Every structure is written in C-alpha cells, then in structure tokens.
C-alpha cells in the first residue's frame, strides 16, 4: 500500500476514489487525442419564445456573487447550480482590503464580513531552496469561510428577487435574435430527472474550467499550461501562526519544480504542494504528486506524519489558455470567473480574480442590459485583452520545464530568489501587488532592470529555458502594458453626461419591453431612439475601454 493510499483511506468521504476520478480526467487532457466536445450551444435565426429573465447564470459557486449584485440592481436573474449551492469546508485565502468590495456593493454588512473571516494571520513568507527568505504582512493572510459567505450571498440574492435552481444541471442553449433558450435537467422530490427551459436576454457561464460551453468554444484544444495541486488540512503541527505564500524546499525533480503553501485554518493547518507544467503524456498523475507531497511534508513542516490527524484531502488541476480572457463567438453570451480564464496562469483559484473584477463586471453587465448592448462585440468588451494578464505567461514558463528539457536543477529556485530579493529591496509598492496577481508596468520595469543588472548570468540561463519565440511574444505584451499604463492615466471624462438616459427602470424586465415592440425598440420616436441608442452605445464602449486600460495595466490595485 502506498503512503497516499494509507493516509487517504483514513479520511472520511473516500478522497482516494475522488483523487483517482480527477486523475482520469487529467489523463484525458494528457492524451494525444483531442478533448471530447459536445455542441451544447447552437444558434437559430428565428425569434424565440417570450423572455422571462434578464439573465440566466450557470454555476453558483462564483456566479452567486454577480447574481446577487445584479438582482440588487433590479434585474430578473435565475441562477442554476448542479448540486446544492454550498461552499466547501476549506477556506479561501485573500487579502482583507480586497474583501471590502463586498461591503461597498452592499452584498455584505461590515458585521457579516467579519463573520465570514475564519482566520487571519501574519506574516506570510516567501522562501526558496538555498535562496532568499522574506516575510510580507497583510497579503493573502485572511481565510474566508466559503460556507458562510455563499449562504449570506444566497440570502441577498433571494431577498432581491433572484430565482435559485439547485440540483439543476445545464444541458444546452439556443441563441435566438431576441434571447437565449436554456435547457436544464433538475431532480424532483422523487429523485426523477425532469427537463425544463428558461428564456433570458443574456446567458452567463460561471461553470468553471471544465464548463461544456467553454470546451465547445475552445474546440477541444489542449491547455497551454496546467497547474497541479494537492494538499491536506490536518491537526498536530507545531504551533505556527504564520503562513507560507510561496516556498520551495527541493531542486527540480521528476521534471517538476515543487512549490508549497501553508496557512493556519480554523480546524488545523492547510498545506499545499503545486507545480506548473504542460499536458504532455509523460507528466505525473495527481496520485504520484500526492505521494511526493506526503513524502516531503515532514521535511517541509518539521513534523512526523504519525503526529498528524488528517481532516481533508485537497487536489485538482487547473488548465490555462493563452487566448484568455475567453471571447464569445455568440451574441447574448458571457463567460465569467474560471470559465473566462480571467485569472493569471500563476494562480489556481478563481475567488480572488472574481472579487477583483466583481464591481467592473457588475457595472458592465448592468450597462449592457440597460442599453441592450448584448451583441457579441459589445459583450466581449467585458472580457478584454489584458496585458497585465498576458505578461505573466512568461513567468509561468520560467517556473516550469519541458518534459524532455535539461536544465540546472536549482535554476528556477535561483531565478525566483533573485527576483524576489530585488522586489523586496524596491519595497511594498512593487512586491505586494505582484503577490496578489496584479502586474504593473513601473514595478515590473524596475524589477527587470534590477535583476538584469545584478544577476545577468541568471537571466542568460533563462533565455534557452523559455525560448526566443516566448520572449518575443512577451515583449509585445510588455509594450502594451506600458501603453495601457499611459492610457489609464489620461484624465478622460464621460462622452455624455446624460446618465439618466442610460438607465432602464428595473421594475420590469427590459426583455419584456423588447417583446412589446414589433422591432424590439423602446417607446419613443425613431429620432429619439436613434440618438439615445447611439449615445448609449458609444458611452458603453468608452466605459469598457477605460475599464480595460485600468485593469489591463493593474491600475485598479
């Protein structure tokens, strides 16, 4: 019996079978055959049925955040969740300052926000094998209780008039000129499956990395990179109220550079091992990674495995695609959260990215519904190209090695040690945003200059590791990061001050207003409608461009 089999068999819930089930999915990604796809979304040129909802959101774990925000603005929103809408037991780590958007938007009270925080600790450490070690305060040092958070957001959603369909699975959708018809399958009280449909002006996909809609859009394409993650929550560790945000304790092994995270949790201590790689057939399974995790854990945390009482096992893999955020090929469709790929390829959790973009997405979707800007080009402006996201691909590549590539086993540790040493010397304005997945042009430029001047030998080693094509591609994104930084600093004003013209009273579904008119227009003369729609369209696009420059340059931090 392997160490993994021995430990996981002691944990309730049969996590070993769950691990092997995820490994079978990982095997399909590593296979040389294309990923299987189903045509779950089709397009019809015919007008659809009467529209019942302004938006239907598929996927509740992250979708409830946007759903609750839109419902509070008066839109008719239906939310579909395959199982029960309940958070997992393991905390989500984030920085306190990022959470305040939930109170600013009225989704939580100050008291509820404090109740949602299960743990808070300082400092978090960054350390590398045979290299630099540093400590940072108030970065990803808060553990949020997902069970409590999602329950409060669910109550806000329902109180605002939202409609929640739990134990309901998305089956398919037909995009019509006037709306989307969504087919779902629900389990009734007799445990039988019943199929039904919902009609909406807008379909929002929050089903995550493995969404069938996303797989259809990407055509079964293999991911450009993958992050494998395994870990546990356990008691019995020596008392330690600090966390590890980014640590390594070994050189390269199994063609993987292993990184670690560790955080105090409400019911123990959580430790993760993760690694960046591609989907080559020779890559290890999650069960193999878990075996290495358990073998190295005593060295990492200075504890004997026999002293630990394991509460939960954690594992998964997170595919990343260069062509992200995802652009929709259809009208009336928007992907958000992990479905959109709007998080950095360095991160393996969509909660932080969703929190960061929540206000922007809420404002943008609200404007799109108000102005009927629901065509493909308008909605794709809500998930724009972000050079702050694209430049991180080179960093991810520098922290991984190809399956048949030979490099110095300590090369990645040496690079990261040099980079973080220079970032520490440049100070918190450079270091802290980067640790929260926010890349800014001035900070990155300063860091690159310092590393290039003080550690030229390390830089020269990285060039053959990542390859000239990747460097050239990165140079274009880096230049765009500088351009976006300049554009976001321009003192631009609204194109129109007639904000009241941009608002549709939310007492009635705007979709219902569209159906009333023969051509879907609102009440008013043709001249009035043409002028207002034109100004709305330009204002909508201007606002989305301005948001793209702000977030694409990291100036939202």
């Amino acid at each position: 019996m392997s160490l993994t089999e021995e430990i996981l068999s002691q944990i309730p819930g049969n996590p070993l079978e769950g691990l092997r089930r995820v490994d079978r999915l990982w095997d399909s990604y590593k296979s040389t055959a294309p990923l299987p796809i189903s045509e779950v979304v089709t397009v019809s040129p015919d007008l659809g049925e009467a529209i019942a909802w302004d938006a239907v959101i598929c996927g509740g774990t992250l979708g409830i955040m946007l759903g609750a925000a839109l419902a509070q603005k008066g839109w008719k929103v239906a939310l579909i969740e395959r199982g029960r809408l309940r958070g997992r037991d393991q905390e989500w780590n984030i920085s306190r300052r990022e959470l305040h958007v939930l109170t600013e938007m009225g989704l939580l009270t100050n008291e509820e926000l404090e109740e949602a925080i299960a743990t808070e600790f300082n400092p978090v450490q960054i350390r590398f094998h045979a290299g630099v070690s540093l400590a940072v305060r108030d970065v990803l040092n808060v553990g949020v209780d997902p069970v409590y958070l999602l329950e409060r957001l669910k109550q806000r959603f329902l109180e605002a008039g939202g409609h929640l369909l739990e134990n309901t699975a998305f089956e398919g959708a037909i995009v019509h000129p006037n709306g989307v018809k969504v087919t779902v399958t629900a389990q009734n009280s007799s445990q039988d499956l019943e199929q039904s449909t919902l009609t909406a002006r807008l379909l929002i996909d929050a089903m995550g990395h493995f969404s069938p809609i996303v797989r259809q859009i990407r055509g079964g394409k293999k991911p450009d990179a993958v992050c494998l993650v395994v870990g546990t929550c356990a008691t019995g560790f020596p008392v330690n109220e600090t966390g590890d945000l980014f640590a390594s304790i070994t050189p390269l092994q199994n063609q993987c550079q292993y990184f670690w995270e560790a955080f105090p949790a409400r019911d123990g201590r959580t430790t993760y091992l993760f690694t960046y790689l591609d989907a080559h057939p020779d890559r290890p399974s999650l069960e193999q990674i878990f075996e290495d995790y358990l073998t190295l854990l005593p060295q990492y945390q200075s504890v004997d495995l026999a002293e630990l009482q394991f509460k939960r096992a954690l594992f998964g893999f997170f595919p990343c695609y260069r062509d992200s955020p995802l652009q929709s090929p259809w009208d009336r469709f928007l992907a958000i959260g992990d479905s959109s790929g709007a998080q950095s390829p360095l991160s393996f959790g969509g909660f932080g990215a969703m929190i960061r973009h929540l206000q922007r997405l809420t404002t943008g979707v609200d404007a799109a519904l108000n102005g009927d800007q629901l065509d493909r080009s308008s909605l794709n402006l809500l998930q724009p190209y972000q050079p702050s996201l694209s430049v991180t691909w080179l960093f991810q590549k520098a922290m991984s090695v190809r399956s048949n590539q030979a490099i110095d086993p300590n090369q990645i540790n040496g690079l990261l040690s040099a980079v973080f040493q220079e970032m520490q010397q440049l100070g918190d304005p450079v270091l802290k945003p980067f640790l929260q997945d926010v890349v800014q042009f001035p900070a990155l430029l300063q860091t690159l200059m310092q590393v290039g001047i003080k550690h030229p030998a390390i830089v020269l080693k990285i060039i053959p590791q990542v390859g000239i094509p990747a460097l050239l591609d990165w140079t274009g994104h880096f230049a765009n990061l500088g351009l976006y930084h300049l554009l976001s600093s321009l003192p631009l004003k609204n194109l129109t001050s007639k904000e009241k013209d941009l608002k549709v009273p939310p007492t009635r579904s705007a979709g219902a207003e569209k159906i009333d008119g023969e051509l879907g227009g609102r009440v008013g003369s043709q001249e009035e409608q043409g002028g207002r729609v034109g100004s709305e369209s330009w204002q909508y696009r201007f606002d989305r461009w301005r948001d793209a420059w702000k977030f694409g340059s990291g100036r939202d931090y």
Side-chain angles (χ1 to χ4, degrees):
M1 179 182 289
S2 70
L3 197 55
T4 301
E5 291 171 324
E6 178 186 346
I7 296 297
L8 266 57
S9 64
Q10 304 169 15
I11 303 175
N14 195 15
L16 181 61
E17 176 53 37
L19 175 65
R20 288 172 174 169
R21 185 168 56 249
V22 175
D23 251 336
R24 288 192 289 272
L25 180 60
W26 172 223
D27 284 340
S28 71
Y29 275 73
K30 291 190 293 179
S31 168
T32 55
L35 291 170
I37 58 173
S38 299
E39 192 176 71
V40 293
V41 178
T42 57
V43 178
S44 170
D46 303 322
L47 290 177
E49 303 170 12
I51 305 302
W53 303 96
D54 291 305
V56 167
I57 301 176
C58 301
T61 302
L62 294 182
I64 188 63
M65 300 180 196
L66 180 60
L70 292 175
Q72 286 196 335
K73 286 184 172 292
W75 297 110
K76 295 180 65 178
V77 182
L79 181 66
I80 300 166
E81 171 57 35
R82 176 180 291 273
R84 283 186 57 214
L85 182 51
R86 182 187 184 277
R88 64 178 189 177
D89 293 322
Q90 186 59 46
E91 289 100 304
W92 288 333
N93 283 94
I94 197 167
S95 304
R96 178 179 277 272
R97 62 175 288 176
E98 296 175 274
L99 286 175
H100 287 302
V101 69
L102 296 173
T103 56
E104 292 167 3
M105 296 179 67
L107 297 175
L108 294 181
T109 65
N110 290 325
E111 293 75 20
E112 288 169 336
L113 180 63
E114 293 303 319
E115 183 69 22
I117 295 175
T119 56
E120 191 165 10
F121 49 90
N122 263 313
V124 294
Q125 300 179 71
I126 299 153
R127 52 195 176 97
F128 302 104
H129 176 64
V132 71
S133 178
L134 57 102
V136 184
R137 298 186 65 84
D138 302 324
V139 173
L140 299 178
N141 65 314
V142 165
V144 173
D145 178 4
V147 176
Y148 177 84
L149 176 62
L150 265 61
E151 182 61 32
R152 294 313 307 153
L153 291 173
K154 180 164 70 172
Q155 292 307 314
R156 288 287 183 277
F157 176 68
L158 295 173
E159 290 164 4
H163 183 55
L164 176 61
L165 293 90
E166 294 181 300
N167 299 310
T168 302
F170 168 84
E171 296 293 342
I174 302 174
V175 180
H176 297 276
N178 62 322
V180 183
K181 181 179 179 180
V182 183
T183 302
V184 298
T185 300
Q187 202 173 59
N188 61 24
S189 56
S190 303
Q191 304 301 306
D192 296 324
L193 296 179
E194 294 182 349
Q195 198 169 84
S196 60
T197 59
L198 300 92
T199 54
R201 299 172 62 207
L202 175 65
L203 173 62
I204 298 175
D205 180 2
M207 291 184 284
H209 294 291
F210 306 107
S211 160
I213 303 178
V214 171
R215 184 173 286 191
Q216 178 183 345
I217 294 173
R218 296 200 183 276
K221 177 188 173 186
K222 296 296 181 69
D224 297 298
V226 176
C227 181
L228 296 187
V229 185
V230 299
T232 61
C233 181
T235 57
F237 291 100
V239 176
N240 186 353
E241 295 303 318
T242 69
D244 280 343
L245 182 58
F246 199 32
S248 70
I249 61 171
T250 55
L252 198 70
Q253 58 184 72
N254 300 327
Q255 289 300 97
C256 296
Q257 178 62 63
Y258 289 153
F259 299 105
W260 295 81
E261 285 188 332
F263 302 107
R266 184 164 51 190
D267 53 354
R269 186 169 181 82
T270 300
T271 53
Y272 293 108
L273 181 151
F274 62 97
T275 188
Y276 303 114
L277 35 69
D278 54 28
H280 191 277
D282 293 339
R283 293 303 190 178
S285 67
L286 278 163
E287 190 166 349
Q288 290 173 287
I289 298 291
F290 218 116
E291 190 75 11
D292 287 344
Y293 160 81
L294 291 170
T295 302
L296 293 169
L297 183 60
Q299 175 188 346
Y300 172 51
Q301 290 289 288
S302 301
V303 66
D304 193 296
L305 284 183
E307 299 175 6
L308 301 179
Q309 297 79 50
F310 292 94
K311 304 293 187 67
R312 292 184 294 277
L314 315 162
F315 45 82
F317 72 95
F318 302 87
C320 307
Y321 295 86
R322 288 183 180 277
D323 54 340
S324 297
L326 186 66
Q327 298 285 282
S328 170
W330 312 296
D331 296 338
R332 302 185 178 276
F333 172 80
L334 176 69
I336 65 169
D338 292 334
S339 296
S340 69
Q343 74 280 0
S344 156
L346 301 178
S347 63
F348 49 85
F351 175 61
M354 190 66 193
I355 288 289
R356 179 186 174 194
H357 292 279
L358 182 59
Q359 200 156 33
R360 177 185 70 83
L361 285 172
T362 301
T363 301
V365 173
D366 179 53
L369 289 169
N370 269 317
D372 204 36
Q373 307 289 323
L374 301 175
D375 59 282
R376 178 180 62 182
S377 62
S378 296
L379 290 172
N380 280 339
L381 292 175
L382 291 169
Q383 294 293 8
Y385 162 69
Q386 297 177 47
S388 60
L389 188 67
S390 298
V391 293
T392 60
W393 274 97
L394 187 70
F395 309 152
Q396 197 268 6
K397 200 170 184 66
M399 288 189 280
S400 61
V401 39
R402 294 188 296 275
S403 62
N404 58 352
Q405 189 176 31
I407 67 170
D408 180 345
N410 273 312
Q411 182 167 302
I412 295 174
N413 282 316
L415 170 68
L416 292 172
S417 189
V419 169
F420 277 96
Q421 181 180 353
E422 298 309 321
M423 293 178 79
Q424 181 187 32
Q425 293 181 4
L426 290 168
D428 285 350
V430 170
L431 181 60
K432 284 191 172 182
F434 182 80
L435 292 175
Q436 294 172 76
D437 254 354
V438 179
V439 180
Q440 299 170 322
F441 182 76
L444 182 56
L445 179 62
Q446 291 178 72
T447 303
L448 292 176
M449 290 177 63
Q450 291 292 94
V451 173
I453 292 170
K454 296 183 180 180
H455 310 276
I458 292 177
V459 174
L460 290 174
K461 288 182 180 179
I462 293 300
I463 294 174
Q465 179 189 341
V466 300
I468 296 297
L471 277 172
L472 293 175
D473 179 69
W474 176 85
T475 301
H477 296 305
F478 180 63
N480 287 336
L481 183 66
L483 175 61
Y484 274 47
H485 178 78
L486 291 175
L487 290 170
S488 65
S489 63
L490 296 176
L492 301 174
K493 296 181 180 181
N494 285 345
L495 295 178
T496 174
S497 61
K498 298 179 181 180
E499 294 182 3
K500 61 182 180 181
D501 287 341
L502 301 179
K503 200 72 175 170
V504 175
T507 54
R508 183 164 181 258
S509 165
E513 292 190 27
K514 279 182 64 64
I515 294 169
D516 288 346
E518 182 179 351
L519 297 178
R522 298 195 183 101
V523 176
S525 70
Q526 187 174 0
E527 291 79 8
E528 289 173 338
Q529 289 182 37
R532 184 165 58 196
V533 169
S535 65
E536 286 179 359
S537 177
W538 276 108
Q539 184 65 57
Y540 172 85
R541 280 161 173 73
F542 178 75
D543 290 340
R544 304 293 77 74
W545 294 333
R546 190 162 50 182
D547 283 348
W549 300 334
K550 179 181 178 181
F551 282 80
S553 64
R555 293 287 286 266
D556 59 294
Y557 180 78

